[in-house]
Amino acid sequence: MVLGGGGADGTGHELRGRDAAMDGALASLYGRAKESGGRAADGSRRTAGLGASAPGVARWLGDIRTYFPSSVVQVMQRDAIDRLGLSALLLEPEMLEAVEADVHLVGTLLSLNKVMPETTRETARAVVRKVVEQLERKLATRTRATLTGALDRSARIARPRHRDIDWDRTIRANLKNYLPEYRTVVPERLIGYGRAAQSVKKDVVLCIDQSGSMAASVVYASVFGAVLASMRTLDTRLVVFDTAVVDLTDQLDDPVDVLFGTQLGGGTDINRALAYCQSRITRPAETVVVLISDLYEGGIRDEMLKRVAAMKASGVQFVTLLALSDEGAPAYDREHAAALAALGAPAFACTPDRFPDVMAAALEKRPLPIPDMTEHR
C-alpha cells in the first residue's frame, strides 16, 4: 500500500506522479477526516474524500481500476459502500458501468432491487449476468462431473442384467477369485447399473434464507441451482424464504431471473420454509434437502426441529449450510446449530469449491466432508 500525504507523513519524501495519485485514491476512502474538525490523525488538514458526488465517485472508481488489480478494486469498492454509504449511487446506470463486478456487488444490487428505477434495472441485470456467467464457467464443469460420478455410484446394482454389467468394476471386485489353471476370474459378485440410468435418480431441494446477511450465499446457491437443474438425472427445486416462502423452480433455467426474484432482508421463518419443502417431497429415500441459513429462527423453533427429525426419519438426506460463500461462517444461532447436530444434521459453512463434494456425499448417503469450524471463528 502506498502512503504519503501531509508533510510526507514524516518520511521526508513527497510523493509525486503516479504514486501521489495512488495515495490520493487511497486517502479518499481510508484517510477521510472524522470527528476532528477536518484534520487527519497527525493534525494536518486532509481534503480527500468522495462525498456524495456521483461524478466524483465515478472518477474515483476509474482511478482505482487504473492503479490497482481487480481483487484490490473489489475490496475498495466494498469498503466504499460500507464506510461511505454509497449504495444509493449504485442506482445510477453510469455508476454501475464504472464498477468492478463481483459477488458482493451483486448482493448489494439485489438488496436495492425494489427501489431500483427502470432506467437502472437493465444495466443492473447486465452487471449481475456478467458475474453469474463467470461463476457458471468456474463451477459448472466440476459440479457436473462430481455429481455424475456420485449418481452413477449411487445407482450401482448388485444383480444387473447381462447387458448392464460394468465389467471393469466386476473384474476388480472379483480378482481374489482368479483361477490360474483356467486363466480366468470367477465373477461371484456382479456390478452394474439399472436400465433407467438416464432417468431421474435423485430429488434435490435447495432451501435458501434470503435475509440480508446471506447475500453471497443466495448468489452462489442460485448459480448451483441452475447447474443442478441442467442435469437430467436430478430433479431440482429452489425455494427462498424470509417470513414468506417463494418457489423459484420455474426460473432455474436463468439464475439472473432467480436472483431478481429474491428479496434480501426481512425476517426469517425457517419452520414455514421447511414445511413447504416437506410438502413437496414424494420420494424421501431419494431426496436431498439443503438448508442454507444462519439459523436465526423467527418462527417456531420446536416445530422446525421436529420437521427436520421427521424428514430424516423418512429417509431424506438433510444438509445444513450456515453459508455458501468464500467468507466462512457468519454469525449464526449456535443453539439451533447444536440442536440440528444432535439430530444428525450438523451445520457448517461451505465454500463454493467444496459444495460439489458435499452434494456428492449426500447423494451417495455417506458422511459429509465437514470442515473444521474452528477455522471460521
Side-chain angles (χ1 to χ4, degrees), residues 114 206-211 238-248 261-277 291-293 296-299:
K114 299 305 180 183
L206 299 178
C207 185
I208 310 170
D209 182 346
Q210 58 179 348
S211 57
L238 188 144
V239 176
V240 298
F241 67 93
D242 43 33
T243 53
V245 179
V246 181
D247 192 326
L248 297 176
T262 63
Q263 175 61 61
L264 290 175
T268 308
D269 193 336
I270 303 173
N271 178 56
R272 175 177 290 186
L274 291 181
Y276 177 84
C277 294
L291 171 65
I292 304 175
S293 173
Y296 286 110
E297 171 65 317

Side-chain angles (χ1 to χ4, degrees), residues 144-292:
R144 291 193 186 101
T146 301
L147 299 192
T148 297
L151 288 164
D152 285 345
R153 288 188 293 274
S154 69
R156 191 181 305 167
I157 58 177
R159 302 180 67 178
R161 300 169 187 243
H162 184 270
R163 61 182 167 183
D164 295 323
I165 295 174
D166 184 329
W167 287 109
D168 287 341
R169 288 193 174 97
T170 295
I171 291 171
R172 286 199 296 270
N174 289 278
L175 285 176
K176 63 181 179 181
N177 300 322
Y178 178 70
L179 300 179
E181 61 271 27
Y182 295 104
R183 301 181 64 185
T184 189
V185 171
V186 178
E188 289 184 350
R189 178 186 170 210
L190 298 177
I191 299 173
Y193 303 99
R195 297 183 65 183
Q198 295 305 311
S199 63
V200 173
K201 296 175 183 175
K202 296 286 185 179
D203 299 334
V204 175
V205 181
L206 299 178
C207 185
I208 310 170
D209 182 346
Q210 58 179 348
S211 57
S213 62
M214 303 298 293
S217 297
V218 171
V219 176
Y220 279 115
S222 298
V223 172
F224 277 118
V227 173
L228 299 182
S230 71
M231 300 177 64
R232 295 181 181 179
T233 48
L234 290 177
D235 185 1
T236 304
R237 181 177 295 276
L238 188 144
V239 176
V240 298
F241 67 93
D242 43 33
T243 53
V245 179
V246 181
D247 192 326
L248 297 176
T249 303
D250 291 343
Q251 300 175 39
L252 268 176
D253 59 333
D254 188 346
V256 176
D257 286 342
V258 169
L259 289 171
F260 276 91
T262 63
Q263 175 61 61
L264 290 175
T268 308
D269 193 336
I270 303 173
N271 178 56
R272 175 177 290 186
L274 291 181
Y276 177 84
C277 294
Q278 188 178 26
S279 72
R280 295 300 184 269
I281 295 173
T282 58
R283 304 190 304 158
E286 306 301 330
T287 299
V288 177
V289 174
V290 182
L291 171 65
I292 304 175

